[in-house]
Amino acid sequence: MVEKSIHLENISLIDFLGVENRIIKELGSAFPKSRIVSRGNEIKIIGNNLEIIQIEQVIKSLLVHYNKYGKVGENEVQSLLRKEEMDGCDEDDVILFGDKGIVIKPKTVNQKKLVATARKNDLVFAIGPAGTGKTYISVALAVRALKNKEVKKIVITRPAVEAGENLGFLPGDLKEKIDPYLRPIYDALDDMIPAEKLKYYYENHIIEVAPLAYMRGRTLNNAFILLDEAQNTTPMQTKMFLTRMGPSSKMIITGDKSQIDLPGNQKSGLVEALEILKDVQGIGFVELDGKDVMRHKLVGKIIDAYGKKDKS
């Protein structure tokens, strides 16, 4: 066994190591053959030479992140530990630099495939379970297109299925009624655009976030259009949405076929569209799976377990 010590200088331990040394515990889970101990400003690694080198590289990368942003989270650790999925993913893969210097780029093979497919096709279906980054990457592509003046506006929509698209019984004004359904979209945009600029975009309708019911009757020209949670659309709604696409527009439709919340035996518009449009040229299709999940490592295992049950 080999022992290596890393000294942390001018570091806030709570911001770098997390509450109760959570970051050290994450590293320990990833390298079970090694022992990682934090005492004061010293991290001690005991294990075989190869793992020690790998752990040291991860810690050095985390220090670079800390020195730039002042804090380290579990997401940064997990991203650095996905080395086999990050092969070939260099600076050229950066989609954009978000608010406060956040680097937004594909972190898995299938996310990278989604970016490439969107580059080649004006209409893309991105299908996969929760947490695979399909919505986040799609929003980033839309923001990049707007910043590069490839489109004049962004329109993002999703069905408000839980309230049956009839939001009247909820308290508050229209915005307060629909915001809970659109919160994930707002969160993504907050990461990518400074607050004042984002406010300007909202107020001038350069970025629109609205429930699907409000898309009827519109033709969207020179726009990047995103339909999220498409598995909860009816066939009529999906057809309506697809036919909103105007000249010089791009469209991404995201959904999870395992999370259909439509009432009764209502068929999902997403499922029907995938069947009808599978052979149409100019439409791209990307499938993401449990390996692309960027949430807690257990989420991917949960998705795989449910997938096995469904197949059986």
Side-chain angles (χ1 to χ4, degrees), residues 146-171:
L146 181 65
K147 287 186 173 183
N148 291 345
K149 302 187 185 304
E150 297 168 11
V151 297
K152 291 184 177 179
K153 69 184 305 180
I154 296 172
V155 179
I156 305 175
T157 185
R158 67 191 318 202
V161 166
E162 292 84 352
E165 300 258 5
N166 181 9
L167 307 176
F169 72 90
L170 292 175

Side-chain angles (χ1 to χ4, degrees), residues 180-193:
Y181 301 99
L182 304 171
R183 189 70 255 165
I185 304 297
Y186 289 125
D187 289 343
L189 290 168
D190 286 343
D191 279 354
M192 299 172 194
I193 304 173

Side-chain angles (χ1 to χ4, degrees), residues 177-285:
K177 293 175 190 293
I178 64 177
D179 272 2
Y181 301 99
L182 304 171
R183 189 70 255 165
I185 304 297
Y186 289 125
D187 289 343
L189 290 168
D190 286 343
D191 279 354
M192 299 172 194
I193 304 173
E196 285 301 313
K197 188 72 170 179
L198 188 55
K199 181 181 178 183
Y200 170 83
Y201 284 153
Y202 287 146
E203 290 176 347
N204 290 275
H205 306 290
I206 295 170
I207 295 181
E208 292 184 46
V209 184
L212 182 59
Y214 287 69
M215 294 297 107
R216 190 173 298 279
R218 302 182 63 183
T219 300
L220 301 170
N221 302 328
N222 232 324
F224 200 115
I225 314 150
L226 170 62
L227 171 60
D228 191 35
E229 299 287 345
Q231 75 276 3
N232 288 328
T233 60
T234 65
M236 186 180 297
Q237 286 175 324
T238 304
K239 182 181 178 182
M240 177 273 291
F241 177 79
L242 288 168
T243 54
R244 300 309 93 198
M245 192 176 186
S248 303
S249 289
K250 293 183 76 72
M251 184 178 283
I252 298 181
I253 297 173
T254 67
D256 177 2
K257 292 185 289 184
S258 69
Q259 295 275 355
I260 297 173
D261 298 316
L262 292 169
N265 295 320
Q266 176 69 63
K267 186 173 184 178
S268 167
L270 172 65
V271 174
E272 182 183 83
L274 292 172
E275 295 171 356
I276 293 172
L277 302 175
K278 62 184 179 182
D279 296 321
V280 177
Q281 289 189 349
I283 300 178
F285 300 88

Side-chain angles (χ1 to χ4, degrees), residues 13-181:
L13 295 179
I14 188 67
D15 289 328
F16 183 71
L17 298 178
V19 178
E20 297 181 348
N21 288 341
R22 185 65 186 170
I23 300 306
I24 296 297
K25 292 176 182 177
E26 284 288 320
L27 286 173
S29 297
F31 298 97
K33 294 180 181 179
S34 298
R35 186 169 168 234
I36 309 171
V37 180
S38 172
R39 290 177 182 166
N41 283 36
E42 182 183 62
I43 297 176
K44 185 175 291 186
I45 312 166
I46 304 166
N48 64 61
N49 198 45
L50 177 60
E51 281 205 352
I52 285 180
I53 292 172
Q54 291 175 314
I55 295 167
E56 187 177 16
Q57 287 176 339
V58 172
I59 291 174
K60 286 181 177 179
S61 296
L62 291 174
L63 283 168
V64 170
H65 181 92
Y66 171 85
N67 289 327
K68 190 171 184 179
Y69 301 110
K71 193 175 181 65
V72 171
E74 291 177 42
N75 286 340
E76 284 76 40
V77 181
Q78 292 174 9
S79 295
L80 287 168
L81 293 173
R82 296 173 187 269
K83 291 187 176 181
E84 67 281 354
E85 293 178 337
M86 290 289 286
D87 285 342
C89 189
D90 53 30
E91 290 301 315
D92 292 336
D93 294 311
V94 173
I95 299 173
L96 60 96
F97 294 94
D99 191 25
K100 298 177 182 177
I102 296 174
V103 178
I104 299 170
K105 64 181 180 179
K107 294 184 177 181
T108 70
V109 172
N110 286 326
Q111 287 182 7
K112 192 174 180 181
K113 183 180 178 183
L114 172 55
V115 174
T117 303
R119 188 181 297 121
K120 296 176 184 176
N121 299 277
D122 287 338
L123 173 58
V124 175
F125 286 85
I127 312 303
T132 51
K134 58 188 184 297
T135 299
Y136 195 84
I137 294 294
S138 299
V139 173
L141 290 170
V143 172
R144 182 179 69 178
L146 181 65
K147 287 186 173 183
N148 291 345
K149 302 187 185 304
E150 297 168 11
V151 297
K152 291 184 177 179
K153 69 184 305 180
I154 296 172
V155 179
I156 305 175
T157 185
R158 67 191 318 202
V161 166
E162 292 84 352
E165 300 258 5
N166 181 9
L167 307 176
F169 72 90
L170 292 175
D173 60 21
L174 178 61
K175 186 176 186 302
E176 291 170 329
K177 293 175 190 293
I178 64 177
D179 272 2
Y181 301 99

